[in-house]
Amino acid sequence: MPSVRTTKRHDRPERHLCLFLFAAVFSLCSVVCAHAAPAADAAPSLVIVGGDRSYPPYEFLDKDDKPSGYNVELTRAVARVMGLKVEIRLGAWSERRQDLVRGDVDLLEGMSYSDERAKSVDFSPPHTIVHHSIFARKGGSRHPTLADLRGKEVLVLDDGIMQEFLAAQRIGAKVIPVPTHADVLRALAAGKHDYAVMAKLPGLYLIRELGLSNLEAVGDPVSAQQYCFAVKKGNAALLARFNEGLAILKNTGEYQKIYNKWLGVLEPPGLSWSEVFKYGAVVVLPLILLAGGAVLWSRTLGREVAARTAELTREVEERRHAEEELINRQQQLVQADKMAALGILVSGVAHEINNPNGLILLNLPVVMEAFRDAEPILEEYYQDNGDFEFGGLPYSRMREALPKLMQQMQEGSRRVKLIVEDLKDFARQQEPGQAAEFDLNETVQAALRLLANLVEKSTEHFSVSLGTGIPRLNGSAQRIEQVVVNLVVNACQALPAPDRGIELVTWFDVDKRQVILEVRDEGTGIAPEHLSRLTDPFFTTKRDSGGTGLGLSVSSGIVKEHGGELSFSSVPGAGTTARLTFTVPDKESMA
C-alpha cells in the first residue's frame, strides 16, 4: 500500500506580516515552555505506540515512510515532558488494534471512545473531537442523512469506529469494511458501492492528496467521536503518565500549537509568487514602517511576558509544594491522633486485664497449697477404698495431672502479665530527651512477645538468633522496639504462604564497632525501582490492603534519631532483608 503524503499549505501574502510580527513572541514562549518542561529520567522506559498508517492529518506515513501527523507529534511531546522513550509503529488499523490486545504495542495514540471498546481498553480523556461525515460521488444528493443509507452499500474502515457506529444505529445499510481509509475512498471514486462514512478531515486530506476530484463530503456530520489515547485494560500506570503529560502540554500552550499546526481548516492554494509581488508592492512601504514599530513594541512586550511567565511559574511551583506539604502534615497529624488514641485504649485495656489476672496470680498459690495439704488425706482414702472420681476424672489420673495444670495456669497468667506490661511500655509516649542505656536483645524479646500470635499465624519457620557480647545502646528502648515491631510485621505481611520463613539475627561487629539487627524474610520481595522510596512518607505498595506508607518512614526517623541507619536489600520473588545498624563509640576514644 503506498504511503500517504500531505502537501504543504500555501501561505497567503496577508499572513506574512502576522508571522513576522509575532515570530519573536512565539520564540520567547517556546523558550519558556522548554524550560518549564520536566527533565527526562536518566534511563527512560521504552513505550511501543501503535497507530493508523493512512489517517492524515492525525497519523500517516510520509513520503519517507516515517510516522507523521498530529497524533505522532502529540505523542512525542507527551513522551518528552514525561521522560519517556517511544517507538511509533504505524500500520493497518485492524492489525494495530490486535497488537494492543496481544500486548505487542503498549498504547494507541488515537482511538475513538465507545462503551463496547471500553470493555477491553482503557481510555484517556479525549484530546480531540473527530467529526465523521458521509462521502459520495459528485452529482448525487448533497444532503443525505443516516436514514438515506438504508439498503445502500456503505464503505467503512475495517474494525473502525464507524463500522461499530453503523451497526449500533441499525440503519439497514450493507456495510463494506476495507483495510485503510485510502482504500475506502479509492473504491468509492472507482464507482464501487454507494457511499462511504469516515472522519471528515482525513477524508478531505486524502481526496486532495490522492487526486480523487469526483468525491466530496455531503450533508452534516453524522457523528462526533471522542478521540483519546488508549491502553490495554488495566495498564493504569502508563495511562496516568500520558494523562499527566497531556495536561502539562495544555497548560504550557504546546498542545494548542500542535493542534493548530495539523488540524486547522483545509485552505485552498494561495497566490503565486508573481501575484504576491504584484499586489504586495502597493502596501509594502507602509507595512515596513508599521512592522518596524511593531517589532520594537513586541520585543518589549516579549521581555515582559517572559519575566512574568517565569515569575508565575515559580509561584505555581511554590504553591504546589506548599499544598503537598500541608496534605502530608495533615495526614501525619491524623495518624498521630490515631496512635495517641490507641495508646489510651491500650492503657485502659491493660488495666482491665491486670485486675482479674492479678487475682489469678494471687489465688493460684493458695489453691496449689490447699491441694498439697489435702493430698495425704486423698491418698489414704485412695489406698483404703480404691480409685474414685475426682473433678470428673479418676483420682489416679488427677493426682498427677492437677499439679501440672495449676503450674501451667500460673505460668500462663505470668505470661499474660508480661505481655500486658510490654504492651503498656510500647504504647507509652516518651518525652523527648529521655534516653537511657538499654539492651537490644531484651528489646527484641519484648517486641516478639507482642507479635507472638501474628508470627505463629504467618509462618511455620521463624528463627531468632541473638548474639552475645552486644554492647548496650543509648536511647529509647520503647522507640527501638517500635522499629522492630514494624520490621517483623512487614516481614509477616510479605510472606505468600506459611511455609516461607522469617529469620531475626543480632550481632556485634567488633572491627567496625557496629551493633547490627537483621530481619530476613522469604517473601515476594520488592521491585528495584521501589527500594529507594521505601522510607518516603506515604509511599506504600500495600495501599489496597490498608497500608498508609508511614510505618517505615517513622521507623527511619527513629533510627536516625539514635544515630543509626536503616537499609534494605531485596530480590523480587526471593525475599527482603531489613538491616538496622548502630555504631558504638570506642570507650577509649570517649575517655
mmCIF file of all heavy atoms in Angstrom, residues 304-324:
data_model
loop_
_atom_site.group_PDB
_atom_site.id
_atom_site.type_symbol
_atom_site.label_atom_id
_atom_site.label_comp_id
_atom_site.label_asym_id
_atom_site.label_seq_id
_atom_site.Cartn_x
_atom_site.Cartn_y
_atom_site.Cartn_z
ATOM 1 N N GLU A 304 8.660 41.405 28.848
ATOM 2 C CA GLU A 304 7.760 41.471 29.997
ATOM 3 C C GLU A 304 6.989 40.165 30.171
ATOM 4 O O GLU A 304 6.801 39.684 31.294
ATOM 5 C CB GLU A 304 6.787 42.645 29.821
ATOM 6 C CG GLU A 304 7.459 44.011 29.861
ATOM 7 C CD GLU A 304 6.459 45.141 29.641
ATOM 8 O OE1 GLU A 304 5.258 44.825 29.456
ATOM 9 O OE2 GLU A 304 6.870 46.317 29.685
ATOM 10 N N VAL A 305 6.535 39.602 29.047
ATOM 11 C CA VAL A 305 5.807 38.325 29.117
ATOM 12 C C VAL A 305 6.690 37.221 29.672
ATOM 13 O O VAL A 305 6.279 36.423 30.520
ATOM 14 C CB VAL A 305 5.267 37.942 27.723
ATOM 15 C CG1 VAL A 305 4.753 36.498 27.717
ATOM 16 C CG2 VAL A 305 4.159 38.890 27.312
ATOM 17 N N ALA A 306 7.947 37.166 29.187
ATOM 18 C CA ALA A 306 8.865 36.124 29.656
ATOM 19 C C ALA A 306 9.127 36.258 31.152
ATOM 20 O O ALA A 306 9.126 35.274 31.897
ATOM 21 C CB ALA A 306 10.177 36.209 28.878
ATOM 22 N N ALA A 307 9.348 37.515 31.614
ATOM 23 C CA ALA A 307 9.621 37.724 33.035
ATOM 24 C C ALA A 307 8.415 37.351 33.885
ATOM 25 O O ALA A 307 8.542 36.681 34.923
ATOM 26 C CB ALA A 307 10.018 39.184 33.275
ATOM 27 N N ARG A 308 7.227 37.791 33.426
ATOM 28 C CA ARG A 308 6.023 37.488 34.198
ATOM 29 C C ARG A 308 5.716 35.996 34.186
ATOM 30 O O ARG A 308 5.284 35.427 35.197
ATOM 31 C CB ARG A 308 4.840 38.267 33.609
ATOM 32 C CG ARG A 308 3.534 38.089 34.378
ATOM 33 C CD ARG A 308 3.676 38.448 35.822
ATOM 34 N NE ARG A 308 2.429 38.277 36.545
ATOM 35 C CZ ARG A 308 2.334 38.148 37.857
ATOM 36 N NH1 ARG A 308 3.449 38.170 38.594
ATOM 37 N NH2 ARG A 308 1.170 37.994 38.448
ATOM 38 N N THR A 309 5.950 35.350 33.040
ATOM 39 C CA THR A 309 5.713 33.904 32.946
ATOM 40 C C THR A 309 6.623 33.147 33.901
ATOM 41 O O THR A 309 6.199 32.205 34.594
ATOM 42 C CB THR A 309 5.940 33.413 31.506
ATOM 43 O OG1 THR A 309 5.057 34.110 30.633
ATOM 44 C CG2 THR A 309 5.680 31.915 31.407
ATOM 45 N N ALA A 310 7.899 33.534 33.940
ATOM 46 C CA ALA A 310 8.832 32.876 34.860
ATOM 47 C C ALA A 310 8.409 33.081 36.305
ATOM 48 O O ALA A 310 8.480 32.157 37.131
ATOM 49 C CB ALA A 310 10.249 33.418 34.629
ATOM 50 N N GLU A 311 7.955 34.300 36.617
ATOM 51 C CA GLU A 311 7.513 34.592 37.984
ATOM 52 C C GLU A 311 6.285 33.752 38.352
ATOM 53 O O GLU A 311 6.204 33.181 39.448
ATOM 54 C CB GLU A 311 7.198 36.080 38.107
ATOM 55 C CG GLU A 311 6.769 36.499 39.511
ATOM 56 C CD GLU A 311 6.453 37.985 39.586
ATOM 57 O OE1 GLU A 311 6.736 38.709 38.612
ATOM 58 O OE2 GLU A 311 5.908 38.411 40.625
ATOM 59 N N LEU A 312 5.318 33.680 37.432
ATOM 60 C CA LEU A 312 4.123 32.884 37.682
ATOM 61 C C LEU A 312 4.457 31.405 37.825
ATOM 62 O O LEU A 312 3.868 30.696 38.655
ATOM 63 C CB LEU A 312 3.114 33.084 36.549
ATOM 64 C CG LEU A 312 2.426 34.451 36.495
ATOM 65 C CD1 LEU A 312 1.550 34.543 35.246
ATOM 66 C CD2 LEU A 312 1.587 34.683 37.744
ATOM 67 N N THR A 313 5.409 30.926 37.008
ATOM 68 C CA THR A 313 5.820 29.524 37.103
ATOM 69 C C THR A 313 6.392 29.219 38.477
ATOM 70 O O THR A 313 6.085 28.183 39.095
ATOM 71 C CB THR A 313 6.858 29.195 36.016
ATOM 72 O OG1 THR A 313 6.292 29.456 34.727
ATOM 73 C CG2 THR A 313 7.274 27.726 36.097
ATOM 74 N N ARG A 314 7.231 30.124 38.973
ATOM 75 C CA ARG A 314 7.799 29.924 40.310
ATOM 76 C C ARG A 314 6.701 29.937 41.383
ATOM 77 O O ARG A 314 6.714 29.119 42.318
ATOM 78 C CB ARG A 314 8.834 31.006 40.604
ATOM 79 C CG ARG A 314 10.147 30.845 39.851
ATOM 80 C CD ARG A 314 11.225 31.748 40.433
ATOM 81 N NE ARG A 314 10.842 33.158 40.326
ATOM 82 C CZ ARG A 314 11.130 33.929 39.288
ATOM 83 N NH1 ARG A 314 11.796 33.425 38.255
ATOM 84 N NH2 ARG A 314 10.767 35.210 39.257
ATOM 85 N N GLU A 315 5.760 30.881 41.255
ATOM 86 C CA GLU A 315 4.687 30.964 42.233
ATOM 87 C C GLU A 315 3.827 29.702 42.237
ATOM 88 O O GLU A 315 3.452 29.185 43.297
ATOM 89 C CB GLU A 315 3.817 32.193 41.953
ATOM 90 C CG GLU A 315 4.519 33.521 42.212
ATOM 91 C CD GLU A 315 3.630 34.711 41.864
ATOM 92 O OE1 GLU A 315 2.491 34.472 41.427
ATOM 93 O OE2 GLU A 315 4.084 35.856 42.038
ATOM 94 N N VAL A 316 3.504 29.213 41.039
ATOM 95 C CA VAL A 316 2.705 27.995 40.945
ATOM 96 C C VAL A 316 3.434 26.819 41.557
ATOM 97 O O VAL A 316 2.857 26.006 42.305
ATOM 98 C CB VAL A 316 2.351 27.700 39.466
ATOM 99 C CG1 VAL A 316 1.745 26.300 39.323
ATOM 100 C CG2 VAL A 316 1.384 28.741 38.931
ATOM 101 N N GLU A 317 4.748 26.702 41.296
ATOM 102 C CA GLU A 317 5.536 25.593 41.843
ATOM 103 C C GLU A 317 5.613 25.682 43.365
ATOM 104 O O GLU A 317 5.489 24.669 44.070
ATOM 105 C CB GLU A 317 6.947 25.616 41.227
ATOM 106 C CG GLU A 317 7.788 24.392 41.565
ATOM 107 C CD GLU A 317 7.250 23.126 40.941
ATOM 108 O OE1 GLU A 317 6.435 23.217 39.998
ATOM 109 O OE2 GLU A 317 7.628 22.043 41.416
ATOM 110 N N GLU A 318 5.833 26.899 43.871
ATOM 111 C CA GLU A 318 5.901 27.069 45.328
ATOM 112 C C GLU A 318 4.564 26.737 45.978
ATOM 113 O O GLU A 318 4.521 26.103 47.033
ATOM 114 C CB GLU A 318 6.304 28.512 45.654
ATOM 115 C CG GLU A 318 7.755 28.850 45.298
ATOM 116 C CD GLU A 318 8.068 30.324 45.471
ATOM 117 O OE1 GLU A 318 7.136 31.078 45.853
ATOM 118 O OE2 GLU A 318 9.223 30.726 45.224
ATOM 119 N N ARG A 319 3.472 27.163 45.345
ATOM 120 C CA ARG A 319 2.160 26.849 45.908
ATOM 121 C C ARG A 319 1.896 25.344 45.873
ATOM 122 O O ARG A 319 1.326 24.787 46.829
ATOM 123 C CB ARG A 319 1.078 27.590 45.130
ATOM 124 C CG ARG A 319 -0.336 27.272 45.598
ATOM 125 C CD ARG A 319 -1.372 28.174 44.948
ATOM 126 N NE ARG A 319 -1.203 29.551 45.398
ATOM 127 C CZ ARG A 319 -2.023 30.530 45.034
ATOM 128 N NH1 ARG A 319 -3.047 30.287 44.238
ATOM 129 N NH2 ARG A 319 -1.831 31.758 45.477
ATOM 130 N N ARG A 320 2.299 24.691 44.798
ATOM 131 C CA ARG A 320 2.094 23.239 44.717
ATOM 132 C C ARG A 320 2.858 22.519 45.821
ATOM 133 O O ARG A 320 2.329 21.617 46.478
ATOM 134 C CB ARG A 320 2.540 22.729 43.339
ATOM 135 C CG ARG A 320 2.255 21.257 43.111
ATOM 136 C CD ARG A 320 2.682 20.831 41.721
ATOM 137 N NE ARG A 320 4.115 20.921 41.553
ATOM 138 C CZ ARG A 320 4.967 19.967 41.965
ATOM 139 N NH1 ARG A 320 4.506 18.875 42.542
ATOM 140 N NH2 ARG A 320 6.269 20.108 41.766
ATOM 141 N N HIS A 321 4.135 22.924 46.023
ATOM 142 C CA HIS A 321 4.925 22.301 47.094
ATOM 143 C C HIS A 321 4.287 22.558 48.457
ATOM 144 O O HIS A 321 4.261 21.668 49.322
ATOM 145 C CB HIS A 321 6.353 22.846 47.078
ATOM 146 C CG HIS A 321 7.205 22.274 45.979
ATOM 147 N ND1 HIS A 321 7.360 20.919 45.790
ATOM 148 C CD2 HIS A 321 7.951 22.863 44.994
ATOM 149 C CE1 HIS A 321 8.142 20.693 44.753
ATOM 150 N NE2 HIS A 321 8.515 21.860 44.247
ATOM 151 N N ALA A 322 3.778 23.793 48.661
ATOM 152 C CA ALA A 322 3.157 24.120 49.943
ATOM 153 C C ALA A 322 1.902 23.282 50.180
ATOM 154 O O ALA A 322 1.665 22.799 51.300
ATOM 155 C CB ALA A 322 2.819 25.606 49.982
ATOM 156 N N GLU A 323 1.108 23.089 49.124
ATOM 157 C CA GLU A 323 -0.101 22.283 49.264
ATOM 158 C C GLU A 323 0.241 20.822 49.553
ATOM 159 O O GLU A 323 -0.411 20.177 50.381
ATOM 160 C CB GLU A 323 -0.943 22.393 47.987
ATOM 161 C CG GLU A 323 -1.584 23.763 47.804
ATOM 162 C CD GLU A 323 -2.315 23.880 46.475
ATOM 163 O OE1 GLU A 323 -2.163 22.949 45.643
ATOM 164 O OE2 GLU A 323 -3.017 24.881 46.269
ATOM 165 N N GLU A 324 1.262 20.290 48.874
ATOM 166 C CA GLU A 324 1.676 18.910 49.139
ATOM 167 C C GLU A 324 2.173 18.760 50.572
ATOM 168 O O GLU A 324 1.862 17.770 51.254
ATOM 169 C CB GLU A 324 2.774 18.502 48.149
ATOM 170 C CG GLU A 324 2.280 18.334 46.720
ATOM 171 C CD GLU A 324 3.416 17.983 45.769
ATOM 172 O OE1 GLU A 324 4.585 17.985 46.221
ATOM 173 O OE2 GLU A 324 3.131 17.700 44.584
#
